[in-house]
Amino acid sequence: MTVEPDDCDQYHLEAEDIHRHFGGVKALDGATVFVKKNKLISLIGPNGSGKTTLFNVVTCWLPKTDPFDEDGGKVVFEKERIDDLSAHEAALTGMIRTFQTTRNWQRLTTLENLLVAPPNQTGESFLNIFLKRKKIREEERKNTLKAIEVLEFLEIMHIRDQLAEELSGGQLKLLSLGRLLMTVPSLILLDEPMAGINPTLGNKIMDKILELKENVTIFLIEHNMDVVFNYSDEIFVMASGKMIAHGTPDEIETNRDVIEAYLGEDY
Amino acid sequence: MKRVDVSRFSSLVRKHPELLIGLALAIPVVLLYLYALTTLEVKSKLLFSTASALLVFFVGAISLDLEVGSLGLPNFGKVAFFALGAYISALLYSVYDVSYLVAVITALIISSLFGYVLSIPTVRLRADYFAIMTIAGGEFIRFVFQNEKRWLWAPSILPPHTPTQIISNRAKIELTNISPFNMRLGDMDIYHVLESIENLLRIRIFTALDIDQLFVWEVTLLTVFFLIALATYWFIERIRRSPYGRTLRAIREDDITVTSVGKDVFRFRWQVTTISAFICGLAGVMYAFSFNAFEASDFRPELTFVLYFYVIIGGLGNGKGVFVGTALVTLFMQAASVEAVQRNIYMHVGPDSPLFGSFLEILQLDIFINPFNMRYVVLGTILILFLIFKPGGLIPEPRTDNEKYLSLLTPYERARSDEAVSARQSLTEKERLFEGTEDENDS
Ligand SMILES: Nc1ncnc2c1ncn2[C@@H]1O[C@H](COP(=O)(O)OP(=O)(O)OP(=O)(O)O)[C@@H](O)[C@H]1O
Ligand SMILES: [Mg+2]
């Protein structure tokens, strides 16, 4: 089960031979992923195997390696190297992530949480506040309409007027998903969107995510094996900072390495 | 009739519990202030100093509130911008003979630059370390003004003109000596208008407050200050209500999420500290007019802390709250500093006080307590109580109202969303109950 980039054109995101050390801890030790366009790709692995760290490096939240290492691998997104971008610049390329622990703007309403998200708003430039009032109004209207669409899509319209600090954990997960949809992403990276969520809602979130697949590539970290094996097009398996397997759900299910490293004997 | 009024008041209180706290603070302060007024021979003197302090500090306080209340950046070096504004405008005008307008603009530009520099560490620094750094920054500026003899000291007026720390404020001295500014309001024709208003109202309010004793320059200065304060208030509220302000609040809540949707948090931070430094520098220029001459020790960190009193007691994140806080604290401070208040309202704690006298003798405690020397104790206590019980302040930041956005939609678009809201709201309660039992069954 080696990873081979056969046809480069179909890859949306490539991260090759990524190294990331924290002091002596090798969180990523030559990890490689290739994410195909408009597919749902899952990343699984035991706790502490470096999944979140891989997300952090790919989305430019963390620099590769540590200061002493020269070559930490390369990250290519939509055929352009993005290693040197800062986190917000990387997000502007259309690669948007969520966090393992949900983060939200507590004292903003759900609607406002969505309205902040669209990038490069006219009304976010200081001078425009005073000069382009009409354009801002129009843009606000457009964004509000879109936010309402997103709320409808996620079926959380009823929390429209609530502050984020008044929402439940599951609602917050949906809200983070909504925020991400407001940015028009082409690749979304979801770090355990189903953790701490009841199975019914989990399946609902998953259905919503699948609906997105037409226009968006999804890269998912998840510990819920049912979800991963049911919904993924491809699965990457990580252990100790390395990719130990890659394949379709069927291939992975029968892979001995994976069973030993992760799923356990009795799976 | 009376009963109706009472019930109206109580329902008002129920809706706004802050009102009671506000009254509990405002009534003693206003009484103290009125008492202070009655003890004075020329009452308008106190009125002028109160109004000018209020306006100057209001401008300073809303610039602080933009940083702390909206962006969540605790700037503890505000006094530096007061110092920069006051010093640079006064020095350039009185020592370097630059025209006053150019002097003020230069002061504001330098102040803004310093604000920008201050924002650079926010890329890496957490809010609490930023606070510590800014205290140091404020002290640094003061020490520079105190010790840089060649450029920042003024030659003394008397020969041999050796440099001195004391900067005389030529702009103010000139203003107070040029006619018609050096005339009293009572000698001007305009005062007749006020008199006829008095006669109309049959309340001799202007006479009672000795308004005729005010100088024309005082009235002019207050008018200019008022316009500046109003413009600043409008400007900052405008920022707050825009998408820009919304993003600022999002950064205050969680800057990491803001970065994750592709926004440059640092851009917002440096813009806000720069704008806020500009406004605070302007407050410094205004502040200079409280002095005929000033020196570095007039710009101690207390000035920053007083701004925090205003902002926290009044209410973070909104201009109205800041105004109320500034007004309350300024009235108290001004009243407490009146001599008769210090002399007449006091408590003696010492060997001859009742009950604890002999105990106090052992402690060798013998002090007079009056509103003036207790002012920071009083304000500090109130501040702590607010931080614990009412961190939002007297007028809390208004809960964001989605109405603003929903009103942009057409009635049809809006109705669709509103219907979904109300339909689901009745449903969710049931759903929650149902889900609750389901979870219990699972475990
Ligand atoms: N900021 C950090 N500083 C030091 N060590 C870190 C840091 N972030 C991660 N690590 C280490 O890197 C390793 C991988 O962590 P990572 O968060 O990527 O795991 P994960 O695969 O996401 O695990 P989980 O499934 O529990 O979320 C761990 O051993 C962790 O201790
Ligand atoms: Mg993780």
mmCIF file of all heavy atoms in Angstrom, chain A residues 103-126:
data_model
loop_
_atom_site.group_PDB
_atom_site.id
_atom_site.type_symbol
_atom_site.label_atom_id
_atom_site.label_comp_id
_atom_site.label_asym_id
_atom_site.label_seq_id
_atom_site.Cartn_x
_atom_site.Cartn_y
_atom_site.Cartn_z
ATOM 1 N N ARG A 103 -14.190 26.307 17.954
ATOM 2 C CA ARG A 103 -13.907 27.687 18.319
ATOM 3 C C ARG A 103 -14.963 28.548 17.663
ATOM 4 O O ARG A 103 -15.278 28.370 16.500
ATOM 5 C CB ARG A 103 -12.536 28.108 17.795
ATOM 6 C CG ARG A 103 -11.425 27.148 18.109
ATOM 7 C CD ARG A 103 -10.127 27.767 17.721
ATOM 8 N NE ARG A 103 -9.788 28.797 18.666
ATOM 9 C CZ ARG A 103 -8.758 28.699 19.501
ATOM 10 N NH1 ARG A 103 -7.990 27.647 19.491
ATOM 11 N NH2 ARG A 103 -8.500 29.670 20.337
ATOM 12 N N ASN A 104 -15.509 29.481 18.442
ATOM 13 C CA ASN A 104 -16.528 30.369 17.893
ATOM 14 C C ASN A 104 -16.392 31.726 18.526
ATOM 15 O O ASN A 104 -15.662 31.900 19.480
ATOM 16 C CB ASN A 104 -17.923 29.805 18.157
ATOM 17 C CG ASN A 104 -18.176 28.562 17.362
ATOM 18 O OD1 ASN A 104 -18.408 28.621 16.170
ATOM 19 N ND2 ASN A 104 -18.079 27.424 18.015
ATOM 20 N N TRP A 105 -17.099 32.683 17.978
ATOM 21 C CA TRP A 105 -17.117 34.015 18.563
ATOM 22 C C TRP A 105 -18.291 34.083 19.510
ATOM 23 O O TRP A 105 -19.439 34.264 19.108
ATOM 24 C CB TRP A 105 -17.180 35.052 17.448
ATOM 25 C CG TRP A 105 -16.010 34.918 16.546
ATOM 26 C CD1 TRP A 105 -14.697 34.959 16.907
ATOM 27 C CD2 TRP A 105 -16.017 34.684 15.130
ATOM 28 N NE1 TRP A 105 -13.897 34.787 15.815
ATOM 29 C CE2 TRP A 105 -14.676 34.620 14.716
ATOM 30 C CE3 TRP A 105 -17.020 34.558 14.179
ATOM 31 C CZ2 TRP A 105 -14.315 34.414 13.393
ATOM 32 C CZ3 TRP A 105 -16.651 34.350 12.865
ATOM 33 C CH2 TRP A 105 -15.316 34.278 12.480
ATOM 34 N N GLN A 106 -17.969 33.929 20.799
ATOM 35 C CA GLN A 106 -18.976 33.706 21.823
ATOM 36 C C GLN A 106 -20.069 34.760 21.890
ATOM 37 O O GLN A 106 -21.232 34.444 21.965
ATOM 38 C CB GLN A 106 -18.289 33.627 23.190
ATOM 39 C CG GLN A 106 -17.332 32.467 23.317
ATOM 40 C CD GLN A 106 -18.063 31.190 23.603
ATOM 41 O OE1 GLN A 106 -18.970 31.164 24.418
ATOM 42 N NE2 GLN A 106 -17.685 30.120 22.936
ATOM 43 N N ARG A 107 -19.688 36.029 21.910
ATOM 44 C CA ARG A 107 -20.696 37.056 22.138
ATOM 45 C C ARG A 107 -21.201 37.670 20.836
ATOM 46 O O ARG A 107 -21.604 38.813 20.787
ATOM 47 C CB ARG A 107 -20.153 38.129 23.082
ATOM 48 C CG ARG A 107 -20.189 37.658 24.528
ATOM 49 C CD ARG A 107 -19.724 38.735 25.461
ATOM 50 N NE ARG A 107 -18.285 38.929 25.334
ATOM 51 C CZ ARG A 107 -17.652 39.999 25.795
ATOM 52 N NH1 ARG A 107 -18.321 40.970 26.368
ATOM 53 N NH2 ARG A 107 -16.347 40.103 25.661
ATOM 54 N N LEU A 108 -21.150 36.881 19.762
ATOM 55 C CA LEU A 108 -21.787 37.282 18.519
ATOM 56 C C LEU A 108 -22.936 36.317 18.264
ATOM 57 O O LEU A 108 -22.866 35.155 18.673
ATOM 58 C CB LEU A 108 -20.786 37.209 17.357
ATOM 59 C CG LEU A 108 -20.009 38.467 16.981
ATOM 60 C CD1 LEU A 108 -19.260 39.024 18.169
ATOM 61 C CD2 LEU A 108 -19.035 38.190 15.873
ATOM 62 N N THR A 109 -23.967 36.792 17.603
ATOM 63 C CA THR A 109 -25.078 35.893 17.313
ATOM 64 C C THR A 109 -24.657 34.891 16.245
ATOM 65 O O THR A 109 -23.655 35.078 15.562
ATOM 66 C CB THR A 109 -26.302 36.656 16.779
ATOM 67 O OG1 THR A 109 -25.922 37.310 15.583
ATOM 68 C CG2 THR A 109 -26.802 37.665 17.772
ATOM 69 N N THR A 110 -25.468 33.830 16.116
ATOM 70 C CA THR A 110 -25.192 32.833 15.095
ATOM 71 C C THR A 110 -25.090 33.482 13.722
ATOM 72 O O THR A 110 -24.153 33.230 12.960
ATOM 73 C CB THR A 110 -26.315 31.792 15.078
ATOM 74 O OG1 THR A 110 -26.410 31.224 16.377
ATOM 75 C CG2 THR A 110 -26.032 30.702 14.072
ATOM 76 N N LEU A 111 -26.056 34.353 13.440
ATOM 77 C CA LEU A 111 -26.047 35.022 12.141
ATOM 78 C C LEU A 111 -24.770 35.824 11.954
ATOM 79 O O LEU A 111 -24.129 35.773 10.898
ATOM 80 C CB LEU A 111 -27.265 35.939 12.026
ATOM 81 C CG LEU A 111 -27.449 36.661 10.694
ATOM 82 C CD1 LEU A 111 -27.670 35.677 9.572
ATOM 83 C CD2 LEU A 111 -28.603 37.642 10.761
ATOM 84 N N GLU A 112 -24.371 36.529 13.004
ATOM 85 C CA GLU A 112 -23.153 37.329 12.889
ATOM 86 C C GLU A 112 -21.916 36.464 12.758
ATOM 87 O O GLU A 112 -20.974 36.813 12.044
ATOM 88 C CB GLU A 112 -23.000 38.230 14.112
ATOM 89 C CG GLU A 112 -23.760 39.510 13.989
ATOM 90 C CD GLU A 112 -23.338 40.503 15.048
ATOM 91 O OE1 GLU A 112 -23.318 40.121 16.225
ATOM 92 O OE2 GLU A 112 -23.023 41.635 14.697
ATOM 93 N N ASN A 113 -21.918 35.330 13.452
ATOM 94 C CA ASN A 113 -20.810 34.394 13.311
ATOM 95 C C ASN A 113 -20.614 34.033 11.848
ATOM 96 O O ASN A 113 -19.491 33.864 11.375
ATOM 97 C CB ASN A 113 -21.071 33.136 14.122
ATOM 98 C CG ASN A 113 -20.371 33.152 15.468
ATOM 99 O OD1 ASN A 113 -19.218 32.771 15.558
ATOM 100 N ND2 ASN A 113 -21.056 33.612 16.496
ATOM 101 N N LEU A 114 -21.730 33.896 11.134
ATOM 102 C CA LEU A 114 -21.624 33.584 9.711
ATOM 103 C C LEU A 114 -21.211 34.809 8.907
ATOM 104 O O LEU A 114 -20.443 34.711 7.957
ATOM 105 C CB LEU A 114 -22.960 33.045 9.193
ATOM 106 C CG LEU A 114 -23.417 31.731 9.816
ATOM 107 C CD1 LEU A 114 -24.738 31.297 9.216
ATOM 108 C CD2 LEU A 114 -22.375 30.645 9.613
ATOM 109 N N LEU A 115 -21.716 35.975 9.299
ATOM 110 C CA LEU A 115 -21.459 37.179 8.506
ATOM 111 C C LEU A 115 -20.014 37.654 8.589
ATOM 112 O O LEU A 115 -19.519 38.312 7.685
ATOM 113 C CB LEU A 115 -22.392 38.307 8.949
ATOM 114 C CG LEU A 115 -23.848 38.137 8.529
ATOM 115 C CD1 LEU A 115 -24.704 39.247 9.100
ATOM 116 C CD2 LEU A 115 -23.955 38.126 7.016
ATOM 117 N N VAL A 116 -19.340 37.325 9.688
ATOM 118 C CA VAL A 116 -17.937 37.730 9.788
ATOM 119 C C VAL A 116 -17.092 36.973 8.770
ATOM 120 O O VAL A 116 -16.127 37.503 8.228
ATOM 121 C CB VAL A 116 -17.390 37.475 11.207
ATOM 122 C CG1 VAL A 116 -15.895 37.742 11.273
ATOM 123 C CG2 VAL A 116 -18.103 38.340 12.219
ATOM 124 N N ALA A 117 -17.502 35.735 8.476
ATOM 125 C CA ALA A 117 -16.623 34.815 7.757
ATOM 126 C C ALA A 117 -16.232 35.204 6.323
ATOM 127 O O ALA A 117 -15.084 35.010 5.953
ATOM 128 C CB ALA A 117 -17.240 33.421 7.769
ATOM 129 N N PRO A 118 -17.129 35.728 5.478
ATOM 130 C CA PRO A 118 -16.715 35.938 4.085
ATOM 131 C C PRO A 118 -15.442 36.773 4.000
ATOM 132 O O PRO A 118 -15.353 37.813 4.645
ATOM 133 C CB PRO A 118 -17.893 36.709 3.472
ATOM 134 C CG PRO A 118 -19.047 36.380 4.317
ATOM 135 C CD PRO A 118 -18.517 36.152 5.691
ATOM 136 N N PRO A 119 -14.469 36.315 3.231
ATOM 137 C CA PRO A 119 -13.194 37.026 3.181
ATOM 138 C C PRO A 119 -13.280 38.293 2.329
ATOM 139 O O PRO A 119 -14.164 38.418 1.482
ATOM 140 C CB PRO A 119 -12.244 36.003 2.548
ATOM 141 C CG PRO A 119 -13.114 35.086 1.795
ATOM 142 C CD PRO A 119 -14.459 35.089 2.445
ATOM 143 N N ASN A 120 -12.358 39.199 2.559
ATOM 144 C CA ASN A 120 -12.214 40.425 1.763
ATOM 145 C C ASN A 120 -13.509 41.194 1.594
ATOM 146 O O ASN A 120 -13.860 41.610 0.488
ATOM 147 C CB ASN A 120 -11.653 40.095 0.376
ATOM 148 C CG ASN A 120 -10.269 39.495 0.486
ATOM 149 O OD1 ASN A 120 -9.503 39.866 1.367
ATOM 150 N ND2 ASN A 120 -9.959 38.545 -0.381
ATOM 151 N N GLN A 121 -14.238 41.419 2.672
ATOM 152 C CA GLN A 121 -15.459 42.224 2.550
ATOM 153 C C GLN A 121 -15.084 43.692 2.357
ATOM 154 O O GLN A 121 -14.111 44.172 2.921
ATOM 155 C CB GLN A 121 -16.300 42.084 3.820
ATOM 156 C CG GLN A 121 -16.784 40.669 4.066
ATOM 157 C CD GLN A 121 -17.557 40.555 5.372
ATOM 158 O OE1 GLN A 121 -18.284 41.454 5.749
ATOM 159 N NE2 GLN A 121 -17.375 39.449 6.072
ATOM 160 N N THR A 122 -15.912 44.387 1.566
ATOM 161 C CA THR A 122 -15.660 45.815 1.339
ATOM 162 C C THR A 122 -15.670 46.574 2.661
ATOM 163 O O THR A 122 -14.850 47.450 2.901
ATOM 164 C CB THR A 122 -16.751 46.406 0.434
ATOM 165 O OG1 THR A 122 -16.935 45.521 -0.659
ATOM 166 C CG2 THR A 122 -16.370 47.770 -0.063
ATOM 167 N N GLY A 123 -16.616 46.225 3.507
ATOM 168 C CA GLY A 123 -16.775 46.946 4.763
ATOM 169 C C GLY A 123 -15.717 46.622 5.788
ATOM 170 O O GLY A 123 -15.773 47.109 6.911
ATOM 171 N N GLU A 124 -14.763 45.812 5.427
ATOM 172 C CA GLU A 124 -13.704 45.490 6.373
ATOM 173 C C GLU A 124 -12.461 46.332 6.152
ATOM 174 O O GLU A 124 -11.473 46.160 6.847
ATOM 175 C CB GLU A 124 -13.329 44.010 6.255
ATOM 176 C CG GLU A 124 -14.210 43.141 7.106
ATOM 177 C CD GLU A 124 -13.826 41.693 7.012
ATOM 178 O OE1 GLU A 124 -13.230 41.293 5.997
ATOM 179 O OE2 GLU A 124 -14.107 40.966 7.952
ATOM 180 N N SER A 125 -12.522 47.206 5.148
ATOM 181 C CA SER A 125 -11.400 48.100 4.961
ATOM 182 C C SER A 125 -11.770 49.429 5.580
ATOM 183 O O SER A 125 -12.896 49.902 5.446
ATOM 184 C CB SER A 125 -11.096 48.239 3.475
ATOM 185 O OG SER A 125 -10.815 49.582 3.195
ATOM 186 N N PHE A 126 -10.822 50.003 6.280
ATOM 187 C CA PHE A 126 -11.139 51.127 7.136
ATOM 188 C C PHE A 126 -11.744 52.304 6.377
ATOM 189 O O PHE A 126 -12.755 52.870 6.775
ATOM 190 C CB PHE A 126 -9.884 51.555 7.878
ATOM 191 C CG PHE A 126 -10.149 52.613 8.862
ATOM 192 C CD1 PHE A 126 -10.796 52.312 10.043
ATOM 193 C CD2 PHE A 126 -9.809 53.917 8.596
ATOM 194 C CE1 PHE A 126 -11.083 53.295 10.949
ATOM 195 C CE2 PHE A 126 -10.090 54.908 9.496
ATOM 196 C CZ PHE A 126 -10.727 54.591 10.677
#
